Structures are given as C-alpha cells and as structure tokens.
C-alpha cells in the first residue's frame, strides 16, 4: 500500500463509519441523469487507459439513439452525459445529429459530453454555441507539448497540432458564450512536478488563456488500474503511480450504481459508467428488454448488485476500483449540491416502482 492509498483508505473509513453510526446515507437521485455511449471508438491509446487492451466498440446509430432517448425520458431522466469511459464523442460521424435530437427533446433540460477534442471538425466547433441545452464541455488533456503528448498517448504529434488548432477556434468563441457548467479541462500526462498552468509550453499557454475567460483546469493526481488491466509498468514512462482499489476501505453500495448507469453503443446497460472490465456490471440489454425493467428492483442482477454491496460484498471489478464512493460517504454531497442527494431507502423505493 502506497501513501496515497493509505490516505484514501483512512478517509473512507472515517467518513463511512461516522455516517453508519449516525445512520446517514447520501445517494444521488437515480432518475436525474444517465450516461449514453454514442461512440466506443477512440483515436488515442493513452498509457493509463484500457482502450487499446479491449476490443474496439462501435457507434450508436441515430435510430437507436432516438429510441434510447425516448426510454430515458419516459423514466424521468432530465440530463444526459455523452460517451464517458473509453469512447471519443467526435469519433462518432453522427454526433451532431445526436446533439440535435437532444436539443429538440422537450423533456431533456441539459447534456454534456466528454472529448479529447482532436477529431472535432471546424463546423462542429463553430456550431457549439448554438446548442442551447449544452451545459458543459469536459475535455481531456494528454500533453503540454508534442513530446509529452506522444509519450502519453502513443500517437503522432500531428494530433497534438490538430488539437492546438481546435483550441484556438474554441477560445475565440468564448467571449460571447456562457455555458452553465463551463468548459473544463482534465489534465493527465507526464508528471514533472510542475503544474501545467505554470509550464512554459504550448498547451500551458493556451490553457492560461482559457482560464482567463472562465474555463477550469483540473490535474489528475490519482490513476486507476482498470481492474488490474493497467500495470505500473504501463505508466512508468509518465512518472505516475496507480491506486489499487483493493487497498481501500469499502463498505456500502457505491453511489455510482445509482447515478452513473451507462447505456453502451451496442445497447448493453451497465450499472456504472466508470469501470467494467469483466462484464460483471452488465445488468441488461435493450435488444432484449426495456430500460424501465432493467433499471428496476424487478431486475435481479441490478437488485442483487445493490444489496450485496450494501452488505460490504464486492465483485473483483468493483473491489479493485479506486473511484469507489460509498452511499455512507457524504463528502461529495457536501461539496456538490447539484447531486440531488436522497437517502438510500428513498432511492431503493424509486427503483421498486
């Protein structure tokens, strides 16, 4: 166990134990937001990501997306997150159509997407300010210059140059454009001990300009092993350390199985959009059933997952995940009121309807 794991484990133990004694639970509302993977393809092969160690995914066609969106809205979901985990949003050749469908669906009040922003075409970037329901953009940064980009992503510097071009276009749009949740950059790259905003590097210079216009920059300090798929040797060239979830204190259902359900491009429904390397979090398939029946306590795999974790029993995939957040841990709820936190019992009642 390294120092980061020890610190995280002790923090988990203290927060979870206190809430268990007080009988407090903190569960994001299970009918507010949902994750939809429109693209299971990515243009990068980052050293800390499991993408290139798993079979490539596909794309969700427009007809399927429209059907999925209808079922999502029928259940009361109001917010959609597009393409988390392994896919790249702009790899989907029909992503602009998906944006249009979200814009015209009256029951959806907002959506956001994740992207490395390299594959975004100029017309697509120019059209972003016209998307009235777009709440936020979350962009992953994988290098502060060409060398660090190549070392992190194992892809040619030409993609870094394309990203710089796209960033300059995006930057020029920000003067007359306000996003509710803003433009957010999450940095994962070579660790040199110097914050990216303090570097003398091309990406750093651009990010400082974005920050001056209201954007936010976050630098990752923890990296997951993806259930053991990624090893320390994989990330050694980046100078970073992995956190093994097996070393963390866990008790109580992970809040993500309530609030981060993901519908994959192939129609499979996973109980979590964060990690599922062994398929243990597949709780249904839209080719065989309706979302209403899958996201319900009538669905035995979903119910058993929630109930077993509440008793402190975790499968190997979840046990190894460093992103675990117990329903007994109220720290996230205190820091983010937008989570729409309710009690565990209330959340279970909603899933019984």
């Amino acid at each position: 166990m390294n120092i980061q794991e020890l610190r995280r484990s002790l923090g988990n133990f203290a927060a979870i134990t206190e809430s268990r004694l007080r009988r407090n639970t903190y569960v994001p509302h299970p009918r507010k937001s949902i994750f939809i993977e429109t693209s299971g393809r990515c243009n990068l092969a980052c050293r800390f990501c499991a993408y290139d160690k798993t079979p490539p995914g596909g794309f969700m066609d427009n007809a399927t997306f429209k059907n999925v969106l209808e079922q999502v809205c029928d259940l009361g979901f109001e917010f959609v997150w597009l393409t988390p985990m392994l896919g790249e949003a702009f790899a989907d050749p029909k992503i602009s159509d998906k944006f249009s469908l979200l814009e015209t669906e009256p029951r959806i009040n907002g959506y956001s997407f994740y992207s490395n922003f390299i594959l975004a075409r100029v017309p697509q970037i120019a059209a972003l300010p016209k998307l009235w329901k777009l709440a936020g953009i979350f962009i992953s940064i994988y290098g502060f210059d060409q060398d660090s980009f190549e070392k992190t992503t194992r892809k040619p510097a030409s993609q870094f140059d394309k990203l710089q071009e796209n960033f300059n276009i995006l930057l020029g749009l920000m003067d007359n454009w306000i996003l509710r949740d803003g433009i957010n950059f999450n940095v994962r790259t070579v660790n040199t001990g110097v914050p990216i905003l303090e570097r003398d590097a091309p990406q750093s210079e651009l990010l400082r300009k974005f920050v001056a216009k209201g954007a936010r920059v976050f630098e990752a300090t923890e990296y997951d092993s993806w259930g053991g798929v990624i090893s320390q040797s994989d990330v050694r060239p980046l100078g970073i350390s992995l956190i093994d979830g097996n070393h963390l204190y866990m008790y109580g259902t992970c809040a993500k199985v309530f609030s981060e359900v993901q519908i994959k491009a192939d129609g499979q429904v996973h109980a979590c959009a964060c990690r599922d390397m062994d398929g243990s979090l597949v709780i249904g398939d839209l080719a065989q059933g309706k979302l209403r029946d899958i996201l319900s306590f009538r669905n035995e795999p979903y119910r058993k997952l929630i109930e077993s974790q509440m008793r402190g029993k975790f499968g190997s995939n979840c046990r190894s995940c460093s992103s675990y957040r117990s329903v007994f841990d109220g720290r996230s709820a205190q820091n983010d009121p937008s989570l729409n936190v309710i009690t565990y019992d209330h959340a279970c009642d909603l899933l019984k309807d």
Side-chain angles (χ1 to χ4, degrees):
M1 178 182 290
N2 60 41
I3 189 66
Q4 284 181 303
E5 292 167 346
L6 177 61
R7 188 180 297 115
R8 280 278 304 280
S9 192
L10 290 174
N12 283 3
F13 178 79
I16 292 169
T17 302
E18 179 182 4
S19 292
R20 287 183 67 194
L21 291 173
R22 295 176 181 272
R23 298 183 179 181
N24 292 333
T25 50
Y26 309 86
V27 181
H29 197 292
R31 290 288 189 264
K32 292 296 184 182
S33 62
I34 195 164
F35 292 69
I36 302 177
E37 179 192 75
T38 60
S39 167
R41 300 287 181 89
C42 185
N43 52 305
L44 304 178
C46 297
R47 291 181 179 275
F48 43 75
C49 180
Y51 176 76
D52 70 327
K53 297 192 177 186
T54 59
F59 303 116
M60 184 179 289
D61 61 57
N62 289 346
T64 300
F65 183 79
K66 186 174 182 179
N67 178 267
V68 167
L69 192 58
E70 185 74 18
Q71 293 190 55
V72 162
C73 291
D74 286 346
L75 277 176
F77 289 100
E78 302 171 346
F79 196 94
V80 171
W81 293 89
L82 291 176
T83 305
M85 201 160 74
L86 296 177
E88 161 54 39
F90 287 102
D92 177 5
K94 302 292 184 182
I95 189 62
S96 295
D97 296 340
K98 311 294 196 305
F99 292 156
S100 295
L101 286 167
L102 288 163
E103 289 287 326
T104 56
E105 171 51 65
R107 292 171 291 179
I108 293 295
N109 62 29
Y111 61 95
S112 294
F113 65 82
Y114 296 87
S115 174
N116 58 51
F117 217 65
I118 295 169
L119 298 181
R121 299 190 299 274
V122 173
Q124 291 175 315
I125 301 172
L128 291 175
K130 301 174 185 176
L131 301 176
W132 303 112
K133 292 184 181 180
L134 181 61
I137 299 175
F138 295 79
I139 300 174
S140 298
I141 299 290
Y142 299 127
F144 47 85
D145 57 17
Q146 290 183 340
D147 180 64
S148 59
F149 178 85
E150 289 184 321
K151 188 175 291 186
T152 302
T153 67
R154 292 176 286 195
K155 293 296 181 179
S158 57
Q159 291 206 45
F160 178 83
D161 296 337
K162 180 63 168 65
L163 177 61
Q164 297 296 96
E165 294 173 10
N166 285 349
F167 274 178
N168 276 301
I169 297 170
L170 183 64
L171 185 66
L173 299 174
M174 290 187 66
D175 291 334
N176 301 303
W177 180 27
I178 299 176
L179 282 169
R180 186 188 75 190
D181 297 330
I183 295 177
N184 306 270
F185 298 94
N186 196 323
V187 182
R188 297 181 182 90
T189 188
V190 178
N191 177 25
T192 65
V194 180
I196 194 167
L197 291 176
E198 297 177 14
R199 299 179 194 270
D200 181 16
Q203 198 70 277
S204 303
E205 182 180 352
L206 268 175
L207 288 177
R208 286 191 289 269
K209 293 179 180 179
F210 273 108
V211 169
K213 294 189 177 185
R216 292 175 291 185
V217 176
F218 306 92
E219 290 197 61
T221 57
E222 298 180 353
Y223 294 81
D224 191 70
S225 70
W226 291 81
V229 173
I230 303 299
S231 67
Q232 190 60 48
S233 62
D234 290 322
V235 300
R236 188 168 292 117
L238 305 183
I240 62 178
S241 298
L242 301 177
I243 288 188
D244 186 346
N246 288 295
H247 297 158
L248 305 181
Y249 178 77
M250 295 184 182
Y251 194 93
T253 309
C254 181
K256 292 177 181 290
V257 305
F258 290 99
S259 63
E260 296 188 15
V261 169
Q262 177 176 221
I263 301 168
K264 299 279 282 184
D266 61 4
Q268 282 193 338
V269 181
H270 291 239
C272 178
C274 186
R275 302 283 186 274
D276 188 8
M277 301 312 299
D278 60 5
S280 62
L281 298 181
V282 177
I283 57 174
D285 192 326
L286 293 182
Q288 302 172 4
K290 295 294 185 182
L291 189 63
R292 179 176 297 278
D293 297 320
I294 295 172
L295 298 185
S296 165
F297 264 28
R298 297 186 300 274
N299 179 18
E300 187 173 337
Y302 191 35
R303 186 187 72 251
K304 282 189 173 181
L305 174 68
I306 291 172
E307 292 176 344
S308 63
Q309 288 194 1
M310 200 59 176
R311 297 192 301 270
K313 297 180 179 180
F314 300 84
S316 59
N317 178 79
C318 293
R319 190 63 191 85
S320 64
C321 180
S322 65
S323 296
Y324 168 77
R325 186 176 74 248
S326 172
V327 296
F328 290 110
D329 190 338
R331 289 174 294 181
S332 294
Q334 294 165 1
N335 295 330
D336 187 0
S338 68
L339 289 176
N340 298 297
V341 169
I342 58 178
T343 66
Y344 173 81
D345 289 340
H346 185 187
C348 290
D349 286 342
L350 290 172
L351 296 175
K352 292 173 183 177
D353 291 342

